[in-house]
């Protein structure tokens, strides 16, 4: 059994991602001719000298941002696909267990206390993860009617608590200095990504992806129902725990650098399912590739469409909502939640 | 026996009522606020509630003795620059803008004679004023907070509060500041005026676009705000480093020391001309910001500070004296030499 079978769909999407990334690298408010982009990257690989201004824009700003978009899009889509299979529910998104709201709460508290950016991100990651731990603990201590329902309900309750706490912070925050920052953070943006952020987040996301890839067959089986999975010899509870930990690690780390970006984790797995069907082993790589490409495209719009940065969360909601409606109109001809 | 006594009581009562009506008629007058609302206010106003931080600073400057609390408690580092009697007043909350934090009931319990608000004077604020006044019975005065309107706003509030002499002194001082700005800026040809980026937020990538109240001061000193708005009215926005590099501002201003340190040290800022030429100016932010934060009278001192930083040649006055005089007149505090140096540290190149 190969680690990853390269199907035509996966190969096609990988090429699409590459095309999107190369085009995005050439587009931006600071005009750099496509030739200069290629020359700069060639010079960087070859160790040659490049114009300082162009190098700064490309290597300090634009390419890290594209890398971040790939990370965030891929991560949210992978987590979304895993959760949708795990919960056997097409309406589940990566923040079903409260990770985004929890991370948001940590970050806005960090802003309230005027902490440095790195600390705000760290706090977001920690509180996001803690929120999920709280949800899972709560669900397990209440467990009477099956894990999943309790998990989702606990997630809703704790998520609502975190949202209320965020509102409280907004009220006490300085309306002129801190409130705008809190608003931008909660809307999600990749505007202030720095190379250091990628260096921290990319490895964390990669670590979180490994269990999802290794368990992809079991997650597929799990999506058929607990009893079937048990009959096939899958340790349901153990698998579920590992998937939750992995998806939380992935989501919390990207939310920490990007803020709350909705819709991607919900919508991309549906798009992927349309292409390859609901089997998780096929769904995962396709979701990651589509998510990454989608996010790079949306973020390129966010940073170029207007003079001023458009919050990416607003764009994903706009574009994602539209795509979702389109997906729903297709349900008649080919169900996006049909099992093969 | 009962009859005459009752008559006497009635008579007395009527007399007192007449006096009371006359007295209240004597001790009330009508003022007209910036949106033309005619508001009846008591003759002697001793307790004033400021609806938001801009109005709070405005009230502090014009008549600190009439303050009953702060919208937000001053930070500890601000307190040395505020009057001892006033700096420890309680935090009461704010009334307008982004969500009230004081309830109508608590507002009434704190028994102000008057509520003032300073800022935008659109229909929203007008209706807020009308509603709160109708609900609480406390007269509510709305004052136009545009920078250019500062002298008139000061005179209006001073007249309402019965401190016209102080108002006149403050209004004259602010007119003098505007006049000096016009004199200096008028002599600088348009082509050699600076192109400025205002760095806000905790990473410096939050800014105000051209036409926003947060960057009014940039345009007022004749400079160009490199950030062009997507909206005509401007407003705060997040921008990417790529934008800032593309705009290539020759000057960056901020009131946050941490942001200035970031700008001077991080690689994404280095290709910007302002950073290369070390024209990143840190303006004081104690007790209040001098660029915005909040947009109120505190911005007045930002004008001469920016003049000195941007056009060193045609400015003749001494910055230290000017700052000391401003704090003495507007904030009624005596600033020590060491503090003055510290406030002005970020303006030295």
């Amino acid at each position: 059994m190969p680690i990853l079978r390269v199907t035509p769909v996966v190969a096609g999407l990988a090429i699409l991602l590459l095309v999107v990334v190369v085009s995005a690298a050439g587009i931006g408010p600071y005009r750099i001719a496509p030739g200069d982009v290629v020359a700069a990257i060639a010079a960087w690989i070859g160790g040659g000298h490049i114009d300082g201004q162009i190098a700064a824009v490309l290597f300090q700003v634009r390419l890290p941002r594209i890398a971040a978009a790939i990370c965030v899009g891929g991560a949210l889509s992978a987590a979304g696909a895993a959760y949708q299979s795990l919960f056997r529910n097409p309406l589940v998104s990566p923040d079903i267990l409260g990770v985004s709201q929890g991370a948001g709460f940590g970050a806005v508290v960090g802003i309230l206390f005027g902490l440095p950016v790195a600390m705000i991100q760290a706090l977001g990651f920690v509180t996001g993860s803690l929120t999920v731990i709280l949800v899972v603990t709560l669900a397990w201590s209440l467990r009477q009617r099956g894990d999943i329902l309790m998990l989702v309900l606990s997630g809703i309750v704790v998520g609502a608590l975190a949202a209320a706490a965020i509102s409280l912070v907004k009220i006490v925050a300085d309306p002129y200095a801190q409130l705008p920052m809190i608003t931008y953070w909660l809307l999600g943006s990749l505007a202030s990504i720095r190379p250091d952020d990628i260096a921290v987040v990319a490895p964390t996301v990669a670590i979180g992806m490994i269990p999802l890839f290794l368990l992809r067959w079991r997650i597929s089986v799990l999506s058929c129902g607990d009893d079937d999975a048990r009959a096939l010899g899958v340790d349901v509870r153990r698998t579920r725990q590992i998937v939750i930990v992995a998806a939380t690690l992935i989501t919390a780390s990207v939310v920490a650098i990007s803020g709350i970006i909705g819709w991607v984790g919900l919508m991309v797995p549906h798009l992927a399912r349309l292409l390859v069907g609901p089997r998780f082993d096929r769904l995962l790589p396709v979701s990651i590739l589509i998510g990454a490409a989608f996010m790079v495209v949306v973020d390129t719009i966010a940073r170029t469409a207007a003079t001023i940065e458009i919050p990416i969360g607003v764009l994903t909601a706009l574009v994602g909502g539209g795509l979702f409606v389109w997906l729903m109109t297709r349900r008649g001809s080919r169900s996006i939640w049909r099992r093969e | 026996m009962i009859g005459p006594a009752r008559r006497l009581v009635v008579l007395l009562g009527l007399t007192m009522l007449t006096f009371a009506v006359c007295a209240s008629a004597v001790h009330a007058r009508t003022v007209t606020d910036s949106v033309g609302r005619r508001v009846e206010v008591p003759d002697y106003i001793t307790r004033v509630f400021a609806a938001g931080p801009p109005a709070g600073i405005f009230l502090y400057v014009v008549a600190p003795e009439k303050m009953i609390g702060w919208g937000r408690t001053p930070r500890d580092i601000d307190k040395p620059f505020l009057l001892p009697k006033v700096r420890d007043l309680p935090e009461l909350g704010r009334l307008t803008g982004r969500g009230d934090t004081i309830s109508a009931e608590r507002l009434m319990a704190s028994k102000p004679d008057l509520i003032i608000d300073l800022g935008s004077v659109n229909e929203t604020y007008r209706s807020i004023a009308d509603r709160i006044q109708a609900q609480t019975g406390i007269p509510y005065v709305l004052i136009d907070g545009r920078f250019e309107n500062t002298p008139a706003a000061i005179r209006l509030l001073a007249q309402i509060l019965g401190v016209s002499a102080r108002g006149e002194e403050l209004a004259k001082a602010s007119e003098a500041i505007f006049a000096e700005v016009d004199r200096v800026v008028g002599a600088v040809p348009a082509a050699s005026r600076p192109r400025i980026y205002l760095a806000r937020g905790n990473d410096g990538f939050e800014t105000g676009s051209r036409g926003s109240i947060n960057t009014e001061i940039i345009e007022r000193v004749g400079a160009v705000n490199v950030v062009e708005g997507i909206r005509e009215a401007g407003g705060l926005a997040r921008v990417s480093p790529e934008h800032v590099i593309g705009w290539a501002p020759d000057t960056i201003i901020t009131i946050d020391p941490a942001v200035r340190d970031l700008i001077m040290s991080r690689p994404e800022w280095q290709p910007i001309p302002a950073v290369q030429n070390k024209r990143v100016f840190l303006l004081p932010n104690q007790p209040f910001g001098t660029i915005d934060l909040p947009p109120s009278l505190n911005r007045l001192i930002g004008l001469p500070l920016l003049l000195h930083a941007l056009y060193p040649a045609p400015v003749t006055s001494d910055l230290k004296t000017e700052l000391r005089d401003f704090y003495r007149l507007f904030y009624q505090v005596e600033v020590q030499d060491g503090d003055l140096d510290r406030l002005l540290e970020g303006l030295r190149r």
Side-chain angles (χ1 to χ4, degrees):
Chain A
M1 168 164 72
I3 295 294
L4 183 64
R5 205 157 44 107
V6 181
T7 60
V9 176
V10 170
L13 285 172
I15 293 167
L16 175 74
L17 178 62
L18 194 68
V19 171
V20 166
V21 165
V22 170
S23 329
I27 306 173
Y30 189 91
R31 297 206 179 285
I32 306 176
D36 288 344
V37 175
V38 177
I41 293 172
W44 179 64
I45 294 167
H49 182 75
I50 345 149
D51 177 331
Q53 201 94 336
I54 289 177
V57 170
L58 271 182
F59 298 118
Q60 293 297 331
V61 182
R62 199 179 288 175
L63 293 179
R65 190 160 170 178
I66 292 171
I70 294 173
C71 259
V72 172
L76 291 177
S77 305
Y83 272 174
Q84 286 180 7
S85 299
L86 190 71
F87 289 102
R88 295 192 291 278
N89 187 327
L91 292 175
V92 166
S93 60
D95 46 13
I96 186 79
L97 297 183
V99 61
S100 295
Q101 299 291 7
F105 173 65
V108 299
V109 167
I111 295 172
L112 185 70
F113 287 108
L115 300 181
V117 181
M119 284 296 294
I120 293 174
Q121 292 174 345
L123 207 56
F125 176 77
V126 170
T127 51
S129 311
L130 282 179
T131 308
V132 176
I133 293 173
L134 185 65
V135 167
V136 172
T137 319
L138 186 66
W140 284 344
S141 59
L142 291 175
R143 181 163 43 101
Q144 297 141 343
R145 300 182 48 197
D147 274 357
I148 284 186
L149 185 63
M150 280 300 153
L151 265 177
V152 173
L153 289 178
S154 308
I156 291 171
V157 169
V158 176
L161 275 178
I166 290 176
S167 306
L168 190 67
V169 174
K170 279 181 172 173
I171 286 290
V172 269
D174 182 336
Y176 295 91
Q178 295 167 334
L179 200 55
M181 212 145 74
I182 290 175
T183 310
Y184 293 131
W185 200 96
L186 292 174
L187 278 174
S189 169
L190 297 176
S192 43
I193 290 292
R194 309 189 57 249
D196 307 358
D197 299 331
I198 309 295
V200 178
V201 168
T204 332
V205 169
I207 292 170
M209 294 277 194
I210 292 171
L212 294 185
F213 268 100
L214 294 180
L215 293 177
R216 62 193 188 279
W217 297 102
R218 283 180 218 184
I219 298 171
S220 278
V221 174
L222 211 57
S223 71
C224 300
D226 289 4
D227 296 336
D228 290 353
R230 272 193 206 99
L232 289 165
V234 173
D235 184 341
V236 173
R237 186 169 168 169
R238 186 71 172 280
T239 311
R240 196 169 283 151
Q241 284 170 349
I242 296 172
V243 172
I244 289 175
V245 169
T248 302
L249 182 67
I250 291 173
T251 318
S253 49
V254 298
V255 168
I257 61 159
S258 70
I260 297 174
I261 298 178
W263 277 98
V264 180
L266 175 66
M267 194 263 312
V268 168
H270 282 271
L271 217 54
R273 223 170 274 124
L274 195 67
L275 285 173
V276 293
R279 270 178 53 182
F280 187 71
D281 55 315
R282 296 182 190 168
L283 195 59
L284 182 64
V286 172
S287 292
I288 293 173
L289 288 170
I290 295 180
F294 175 76
M295 194 55 98
V296 173
V297 171
V298 172
D299 186 52
T300 307
I301 299 172
R303 63 192 169 88
T304 52
T307 324
I308 273 156
E309 198 70 40
I310 305 169
I312 198 164
V314 173
L315 279 178
T316 53
L318 265 174
V319 179
L323 265 173
F324 205 73
V325 170
W326 175 75
L327 281 176
M328 288 194 299
T329 62
R330 290 188 51 106
R331 271 194 77 112
S333 55
R334 184 180 174 185
S335 169
I336 50 171
W337 193 244
R338 197 190 57 183
R339 295 222 171 76
E340 281 178 331
Chain B
M1 291 297 275
I2 294 167
R6 188 175 286 168
R7 261 206 302 275
L8 193 66
V9 170
V10 170
L11 200 69
L12 265 173
L14 275 175
T15 319
M16 278 167 72
L17 194 69
T18 318
F19 268 109
V21 168
C22 290
S24 69
V26 168
H27 293 291
R29 62 207 153 99
T30 307
V31 295
T32 308
D33 73 3
S34 294
V35 285
R37 295 168 64 253
R38 293 176 59 79
V39 182
E40 200 149 293
V41 299
D43 238 357
Y44 298 105
I45 296 169
T46 52
R47 298 174 60 79
V48 183
F49 177 82
I57 293 174
F58 188 48
L59 178 61
Y60 173 84
V61 170
V62 174
E65 68 281 0
K66 297 186 195 294
M67 286 177 76
I68 57 170
W70 294 96
R72 286 185 66 79
T73 322
R75 300 167 298 175
D76 285 336
I77 53 164
D78 300 331
K79 288 187 174 170
F81 301 95
L82 295 168
L83 280 169
K85 262 190 233 162
V86 178
R87 65 187 172 209
D88 294 318
L89 282 175
E91 176 169 317
L92 291 179
R94 57 180 186 266
L95 204 50
T96 51
R98 295 139 163 146
D100 293 354
T101 54
I102 182 167
S103 67
E105 202 173 320
R106 261 196 65 199
L107 179 64
M108 291 168 82
S110 60
K111 293 193 171 41
D113 300 325
L114 178 73
I115 303 170
I116 59 159
D117 193 16
L118 174 85
S120 314
V121 286
N122 56 27
E123 281 307 309
T124 310
Y125 288 104
R126 187 197 180 105
S127 66
I128 290 172
D130 285 340
R131 287 171 59 143
I132 290 171
Q133 186 174 317
Q135 189 186 10
T136 61
I138 305 165
Y140 192 123
V141 168
L142 193 55
I143 298 172
D144 185 354
R146 280 176 305 122
F147 207 11
E148 224 43 47
N149 193 49
T150 303
I154 293 174
R155 285 195 177 99
L156 177 61
L157 182 67
Q159 179 235 322
I160 294 173
L161 297 183
V163 289
S164 295
R166 171 153 176 82
E168 197 50 40
E169 195 184 0
L170 292 167
K172 286 232 167 72
S174 50
E175 280 164 348
I177 291 176
F178 284 128
E180 169 69 0
V181 171
D182 290 336
R183 187 187 70 81
V184 172
V185 172
V188 181
S192 52
R193 294 189 183 171
R195 292 165 38 77
I196 298 184
Y197 172 79
L198 165 66
R200 288 177 50 113
N202 61 356
D203 59 0
F205 291 114
E206 189 182 299
T207 189
S209 67
R210 201 178 290 173
S212 83
I213 194 168
N214 302 89
T215 57
E216 229 176 347
I217 192 168
I218 296 178
E219 281 125 90
R220 193 62 188 79
V221 292
V224 178
N225 180 5
V226 294
V227 185
E228 280 177 76
I230 39 172
R231 294 165 287 181
E232 221 168 290
L236 290 179
R238 276 206 77 81
V239 296
S240 90
E242 204 169 314
H243 279 119
V244 186
I245 297 172
W247 289 321
D250 55 39
T251 308
I252 295 175
I253 56 174
T254 182
I255 54 168
D256 187 342
V259 166
R260 184 176 133 118
D261 292 344
L262 280 185
I263 292 173
M264 298 314 288
S265 62
R266 284 197 173 171
E268 65 267 32
W269 289 96
Q270 300 317 308
I272 297 167
V275 181
Q276 288 175 351
N277 303 325
K278 301 231 176 339
R279 280 173 63 87
V280 181
F281 297 117
L282 172 69
L283 276 81
N285 75 344
Q286 289 159 266
F288 312 114
T290 48
I291 298 174
D292 55 353
L293 288 184
S296 185
L297 291 185
N298 44 311
R299 292 179 294 169
L300 271 179
I301 185 61
L303 287 172
L305 295 179
L306 275 182
L307 279 190
H308 278 272
L310 301 176
Y311 317 104
V315 182
T316 46
S317 55
D318 175 47
L319 195 52
K320 246 170 124 168
T321 319
E322 217 165 340
L323 194 68
R324 193 200 310 271
D325 289 350
F326 184 90
Y327 276 66
R328 186 183 291 145
L329 176 60
F330 280 76
Y331 300 149
Q332 305 187 47
V333 288
E334 221 31 71
V335 186
Q336 304 307 312
D337 270 344
D339 285 335
L340 276 181
D341 287 333
R342 204 165 44 75
L343 289 174
L344 294 173
E345 214 168 28
L347 283 167
R348 311 208 189 295
R349 282 210 229 145

